[in-house]
Amino acid sequence: MSNKFRAGTLAIAVGLALGTAPSFAEENTGAEEVERIAVVGSRSAPRSVAESPVPVDIVGGDELGKSASSDMLDMLQGAVPSFNVRQQPISDAATLIRPVNLRGLSSDSTLILLNGKRRHRASVIAFQGGGVNDGAQGPDISVIPSVALKQVEVLRDGAAAQYGSDAIAGVMNFVLKDDADGGSLSVKHGEYYEGDGTSTIVDGNIGLPFTDDGFVNLSFQLKNADATSRSVQRPDAAALQAAGNSHVPDPAMIWGSPEIKDDITLFANVGLDLGDDKEFYMFGNYSERDAEGGFYYRNPHNRSNVFSIDGGETLLVGDVAQAMGAERTCAVVPANVPNVLDTAEYQAMVADPNCFAMNQIMPGGYTPRFGGNITDTSLVIGTKGEAKSGFLEGWYYDLSGSVGRSASTFILNNTLNPSLGLDTPVDFETGGYTQLEKSFNFDIVKEVEAGFDQPLNVAFGTEWREESFEITAGEESSWKAGPYAAQGFNIGSHGFKGFGPEAQGINTRRSFALYADVEAQVNDDLLLGGALRYEDFTSFGSTLNYKLTAQLSVSDEVSLRASHSTGFRAPTVGQANVVNTATSMVEGELIQSFTAPPTNPLAAFYGGKELEPEESVSYAAGIVYTSGDFFMTADYYNIEVTDRIAQSSQITVEPADYTALEAAGVTNPELISAVTYFANDFDTTTQGIDVVANYSMELFDGDTQWSLAYNWTDTKVDAFNPATTNQGKIDRLEDGIPAHRGTLTMAQSWEDVSMFVRANYFGEYYATHADGTTPEESEVADSAITFDAEISYFYSDSLTFSAGAMNIFDQEAQKLQAANNWSGAIYYESGPFDYNGGYYYVKANYTF
């Protein structure tokens, strides 16, 4: 057996679900080189990024900490150019958990791993995900704090044949620290140049021995962040104020980051050498946070089914006697006036105990506050090592079980259930979603002599998974149809209707997978690999996928690599069964949009049908160049995805369909403006180029590290169903993120001081606001460059003080056109960098 497989127990099979076997860097390798070893991308021994047959980025935990943001999503965006994330100011559940995308694909097309084990997805579905992520349900990366991480490995290559569903765009493996001693404690405080968004983050890490042969590594992070506002008063709200309505808030509608309260995260990583080349491991987390953000303003003259049902010509007046079966007696109240509160008709209506309007509770209109509590927990337990007897003698194995749970409880404050009349509460708990995943993995790997320069690496494995999605009903007042529903008043908490008993329930899916993997170092110059995976799902059947990889060393400095694979992404249980009623903005108008399961009678009436998996074909080729202190990779990729799953565009519920819809079992179709559902309704081709370069040198009497990373991504929609996918959505899919992204970082260090400066380039992109895609609501936004910087002073061996800023020169985001100022926003919400502007911070870090 190869000597490298006997070099130490704790290196054995770092997650054989990834297909990794024990490995070490070249002999006498220093610590800096060891950090560049990745376990993703190959089921053979972990390799350096230069020797990997597929492109892998290694982002160290220290590098992640060099960011003004404490959010893992923003940290990764600064380190990985093909990784994109944006702010979500008014986006329903996407405000609570922001979706991301890697290489131009949706967040649930990237598989997330923790210590090599599949991470559960979030319970939140991004109903308003900025085009690319509409309807995506990916894992919540933001709960992972940088203080807990040794490194992040980003595999930029299709890998579903190796790791299963969700790996079409690539794989991100978050590797937890495993130190048995030492630790750190830090405090970070900052705010935006505008004076808002103040945040305080306290985090820490400690390594402890677990007997003489193991470790317990513990990490925590506590974060609080105030909300921001980049808003001006809406024209309609300003007109109401000018007309004497003193109840209108200013600004009436807030565009900004949500308030984050008591965001606590705990991570633990445990390892124990059991002797005889065997190891026990366990890791997991508990995370919880409360978040609350803004929503759309409801005008007190014309908001449909609350204040009016005829576009604001007259006020919607409730008649108590009519609700009890008597004849209607309430008079008409004109609403097409500057201030309806001052009219004689309104005052007479208020004086009549038989009549009412919602203006009596919300005289200046209202803006709901959407928020929730997000809880995320996980636990993985396993054992791995070398089998010393039995039919598996000589094989390295990894046996593990895991469970992950994400629960979201939603609230909607400062709103109404208009159908309840004046008895309505104004704050609601609207129910929640729970995502629960369980899995068992058994993997084996062995080196087999096959006549090549090095032994052939052979791996087999099996995986069982269960995924469930639960909808929990909200409080009765959030979904109840009150006595005034028949008079045209909206049912349920307005803006986000609570989940009723009919929506409550659990849906479950199971899957079983088998895989085989081989990799051969044919000679000193040629590496070949192949993988085959069969997976069977209880919901839609089976799928078979393959992957081929190769790397050719042309010289000591240059190597070529290539890969080809097929892949798939299974529809999530949530996408197949979710129910949601929310407010959307379409061409400047608020509409009540109902998201239904595709087989629901309402969705089925408009073309919904059972979901099938997405399928992909991927090609990639690249070059690696190493010369002294200079290292560069350049990789081209091409990903064809057919039957892509996404939330449909809003389909208008026509009055002519009301009778047929009621006959199909749809209740109160007249109160639903539009319906959306998930569908396999378009195909895309995404291609791109990634360039990564690093160079070390001595400059200014210190050590200097230059890092350049560049990405070009181009997505084309090859086919789509115009009944469910409109042209505006096509434009956002193709051009909603910049085609060109780049970062250039200079890190400088001396004996007592270190610093870094990073330039971030964002190319042109298709900018939209509030999902509007008309010429007045969208445009091609200009490219921009932002700069980040930080300087650190090492006061002692243990204590470091730092100060820095993100977007240090306060580069403005793309401003809205003058014709698009109806919403009270200043900037397009779809921008690729933070529209809040510059942010500065100070930090103190103590290590021991």
Side-chain angles (χ1 to χ4, degrees), residues 246-479:
S246 60
H247 304 281
V248 178
D250 190 359
M253 186 169 162
I254 295 176
W255 295 89
S257 300
E259 179 184 15
I260 306 295
K261 295 182 292 185
D262 300 326
D263 185 348
I264 180 68
T265 290
L266 307 172
F267 269 81
N269 188 25
V270 179
L272 178 64
D273 185 352
L274 300 175
D276 198 27
D277 288 336
K278 294 179 176 59
E279 177 190 351
F280 164 82
Y281 61 88
M282 178 174 66
F283 54 89
N285 77 288
Y286 173 83
S287 306
E288 183 176 5
R289 68 179 180 271
D290 294 309
E292 185 179 62
F295 221 49
Y296 294 113
Y297 173 64
R298 272 65 176 169
N299 187 294
H301 284 203
N302 57 30
R303 179 62 185 113
S304 60
N305 301 110
V306 180
F307 298 111
S308 179
I309 54 174
D310 56 12
E313 290 298 315
T314 63
L315 209 61
L316 176 55
V317 176
D319 190 303
V320 177
Q322 182 185 7
M324 300 174 65
E327 292 293 324
R328 182 177 180 86
T329 60
C330 295
V332 172
V333 177
N336 57 351
V337 295
N339 183 4
V340 70
L341 304 180
D342 289 341
T343 65
E345 292 89 346
Y346 176 80
Q347 294 169 6
M349 180 273 297
V350 172
D352 186 343
N354 185 57
C355 307
F356 69 89
M358 302 317 293
N359 307 65
Q360 293 171 249
I361 301 177
M362 300 288 190
Y366 60 97
T367 304
R369 299 283 299 171
F370 179 79
N373 174 270
I374 309 296
T375 302
D376 185 285
T377 56
S378 69
L379 179 65
V380 177
I381 299 177
T383 181
K384 56 190 175 185
E386 182 182 2
K388 296 300 181 68
S389 61
F391 73 97
L392 289 179
E393 182 178 357
W395 288 78
Y396 283 84
Y397 69 89
D398 187 330
L399 175 65
S400 66
S402 67
V403 60
R405 181 179 183 270
S406 172
S408 308
T409 301
F410 305 121
I411 60 171
L412 195 66
N413 297 331
N414 194 46
T415 188
L416 310 164
N417 180 344
S419 70
L420 296 177
L422 299 183
D423 293 329
T424 178
V426 295
D427 297 328
F428 302 85
E429 184 177 301
T430 58
Y433 299 141
T434 300
Q435 177 80 15
L436 179 64
E437 298 182 27
K438 306 171 186 175
S439 66
F440 292 94
N441 293 83
F442 180 65
D443 305 273
I444 55 174
V445 61
K446 185 178 183 180
E447 287 189 333
V448 179
E449 294 295 339
F452 300 121
D453 281 7
Q454 295 183 20
L456 178 71
N457 195 86
V458 179
F460 300 97
T462 182
E463 179 181 60
W464 176 90
R465 294 180 59 228
E466 180 182 88
E467 176 183 349
S468 67
F469 183 80
E470 179 180 6
I471 301 177
T472 305
E475 60 186 9
E476 185 181 36
S477 60
S478 72
W479 51 262

Side-chain angles (χ1 to χ4, degrees), residues 72 117 126 132 149 240 259 301 345 357 467 512 526 608 716 732 738 751 762 824:
M72 180 58 64
K117 302 298 181 181
V132 175
L149 296 177
L240 289 167
E259 179 184 15
H301 284 203
E345 292 89 346
E467 176 183 349
F512 176 76
L526 180 62
K716 296 298 181 185
R732 299 180 77 184
E751 183 175 350
F762 304 91

